[in-house]
Amino acid sequence: MLPTPTVRSLDEKVYDPAEDSFLLLDCFEQDQGYLLEKFPPPHTIPLVVEIGAGSGIVTTFVKQNILKDGIYIATDLNPHACKAVLETAEENRVDDEKLESCQMDLTNGIKNKHVDVLIFNPPYVPADEVPAVPETDDDESWLDLALCGGPQGMDVTWKVLHGLETTLSKNGLAYILFCARNNPMDVKRDMEQLGWKVDKIIERKAGWEVLSILRFQKT
Amino acid sequence: MKFLTTNFVKCAIKTCDSSLEAFPLQYSECELVQEEQEFNPEFICHMLDRLDWQAVIKVAKDLGNTSLPPNKPEDIDPIMEDSQAILRDLHTLLVETRIVEGKMICRNCEHIYYIKNSIPNFLLPPHLC
Ligand SMILES: C[S@@+](CC[C@H](N)C(=O)[O-])C[C@H]1O[C@@H](n2cnc3c(N)ncnc32)[C@H](O)[C@@H]1O
Ligand SMILES: [Zn+2]
């Protein structure tokens, strides 16, 4: 078992690491061999991007243990999360020189077709709608963005899936987390029809949720 | 934001993607810090492979550094002494130079993005999303 990064007590407006975060850590631990084969160090330096990095626990873990030679960009809409990412990296003595924290919607400010590994633990909870981005930093509702994903919890995730072709590099991989109510097997089928290879890497019951992570790549 | 990152970020407005002007962003009124970081010649050498050199030159110029060679250094071997010197200079530029405060401007649509406390902000106002 690789060590779980320490996350200092966070601003209450930032998503606390939870079962979904830990499932991602286990997913990367399990898939490390595959990743190192795809991006053999030290000759390949993968660009790893985590959308919605929150506390930064996943990015920190992957940088510290899985793809040590990569360069990292963590994005989040939430400015408090953007700060937390840098704090968590520092707390775990992950030198932040190759880790950038950006306030950004999805990957909109990242050069197209450059992302080698994309990571996303999305707002996957079914809810009437995806909340609007608050106008001020001290608004109380930043945390809602971490959870509410529209009627099937898929509004934000589908945006990312539909953009994958433009986001990922030729050999790029995307790891995306789903809950059972997102109907991940339907997503798998739909994406396969669009020409993607989709593998379920890990699945786990967490309280009343069943969480799973799918890995997408171009066939 | 590290200098290295300037090679990977662009204007967030989708319609700028098709413009050759939109990358790299133009850096202006930037406050820089130099921070000593461990020198890893091999990392810089392999990093060089994937860099857009013309973008490196442009951004360096925005930040007041006009000393870069016009073409990407070739045949770099981390164990050769003259390569070492080049790699060390690149390390200083790419990895040790951080923009703490500043503006990033799209040369195509002229939208201004801000860097504050080292964190660049690429969010767009609602009417541009
Ligand atoms: C479920 S949390 C995951 C946090 C962290 N990655 C983890 O696993 O613990 C989802 C995160 O996505 C962010 N987010 C939601 N919509 C986003 C968007 N359009 N662009 C970037 N980040 C977004 C939220 O602010 C939140 O930090
Ligand atoms: Zn633009």
Side-chain angles (χ1 to χ4, degrees):
Chain A
M1 261 280 275
L2 297 169
T4 303
T6 324
V7 175
R8 242 186 295 166
S9 65
L10 289 171
D11 190 307
E12 69 221 356
K13 301 185 200 77
V14 180
Y15 187 80
D16 260 324
E19 292 296 336
D20 45 6
S21 326
F22 300 129
L23 189 67
L24 269 164
L25 306 193
D26 293 344
C27 161
F28 281 104
E29 182 159 355
Q30 189 181 313
D31 223 29
Q32 181 174 29
Y34 186 82
L35 282 162
L36 290 176
E37 216 169 277
K38 274 255 170 191
F39 307 105
H43 308 281
T44 22
I45 299 176
L47 173 62
V48 183
V49 173
E50 183 182 9
I51 304 175
S55 63
I57 185 172
V58 181
T59 286
T60 297
F61 178 85
V62 176
K63 174 140 175 42
Q64 195 162 38
N65 302 295
I66 309 296
L67 292 166
K68 298 178 194 170
D69 292 323
I71 46 174
Y72 286 76
I73 299 179
T75 79
D76 210 298
L77 289 174
N78 179 344
H80 308 285
C82 296
K83 283 186 210 129
V85 168
L86 296 179
E87 285 165 13
T88 300
E90 191 180 315
E91 178 80 9
N92 294 278
R93 274 174 269 130
V94 165
D95 39 342
D96 78 348
E97 82 207 41
K98 287 157 211 150
L99 191 166
E100 201 70 69
S101 178
C102 300
Q103 195 175 2
M104 191 185 289
D105 186 5
L106 306 179
T107 55
N108 288 355
I110 297 176
K111 251 178 109 182
N112 292 340
K113 299 205 183 276
H114 272 68
V115 179
D116 297 306
V117 180
L118 185 71
I119 308 170
F120 193 23
N121 176 6
Y124 55 80
V125 179
D128 289 343
E129 54 185 26
V130 175
V133 179
E135 284 177 17
T136 59
D137 284 8
D138 47 18
D139 195 291
E140 294 302 320
S141 65
W142 281 104
L143 196 54
D144 296 344
L145 290 173
L147 304 170
C148 309
Q152 295 192 307
M154 280 297 292
D155 284 16
V156 184
T157 306
W158 268 121
K159 270 202 205 169
V160 172
L161 290 170
H162 285 136
L164 274 191
E165 179 91 50
T166 341
T167 312
L168 293 183
S169 68
K170 192 157 57 52
N171 296 315
L173 305 170
Y175 293 83
I176 300 179
L177 185 137
F178 298 83
C179 76
R181 288 177 290 167
N182 302 151
N183 297 317
M185 288 305 113
D186 292 353
V187 175
K188 181 173 187 303
R189 187 201 54 217
D190 292 351
M191 287 298 282
E192 281 167 350
Q193 273 169 7
L194 293 169
W196 293 85
K197 176 167 158 27
V198 187
D199 297 288
K200 180 159 63 176
I201 306 300
I202 198 167
E203 181 170 59
R204 181 179 299 161
K205 203 164 174 296
W208 66 88
E209 295 271 28
V210 178
L211 303 175
S212 56
I213 294 166
L214 301 183
R215 183 186 65 201
F216 300 83
Q217 60 195 299
K218 214 62 225 190
T219 45
Chain B
M1 178 169 120
K2 290 101 215 157
F3 189 105
L4 183 60
T5 307
T6 65
N7 220 264
F8 298 101
V9 293
K10 64 166 180 77
C11 181
I13 297 170
K14 289 263 180 292
T15 47
C16 286
D17 283 356
S18 55
S19 158
L20 293 174
E21 294 295 310
F23 177 81
L25 295 166
Q26 184 186 349
Y27 292 78
S28 139
E29 295 169 43
C30 289
E31 185 187 323
L32 307 179
V33 290
Q34 291 293 135
E35 283 165 328
E36 203 168 309
Q37 303 277 1
E38 196 187 332
F39 176 46
N40 178 346
E42 210 167 359
F43 171 80
I44 302 293
C45 181
H46 297 304
M47 194 61 231
L48 199 54
D49 285 344
R50 68 174 300 172
L51 287 181
D52 177 333
W53 188 253
Q54 291 315 311
V56 173
I57 294 184
K58 262 191 171 168
V59 177
K61 197 167 156 226
D62 288 347
L63 301 178
N65 174 343
T66 50
S67 66
L68 294 173
N71 297 310
K72 195 192 274 197
E74 278 175 28
D75 301 322
I76 296 284
D77 183 342
I79 32 184
M80 301 295 288
E81 216 164 287
D82 29 338
S83 290
Q84 282 264 340
I86 298 176
L87 291 173
R88 192 164 266 293
D89 283 350
L90 285 172
H91 169 76
T92 305
L93 179 70
L94 298 170
V95 180
E96 297 190 323
T97 308
R98 189 150 62 94
I99 307 171
V100 189
E101 307 280 328
K103 291 179 183 175
M104 307 177 276
I105 306 156
C106 174
R107 290 186 171 90
N108 186 52
C109 72
E110 295 176 356
H111 188 74
I112 304 177
Y113 301 91
Y114 291 87
I115 303 169
K116 291 198 179 118
N117 292 316
S118 298
I119 299 178
N121 182 349
F122 291 91
L123 294 190
L124 297 170
H127 69 277
L128 287 176
C129 285

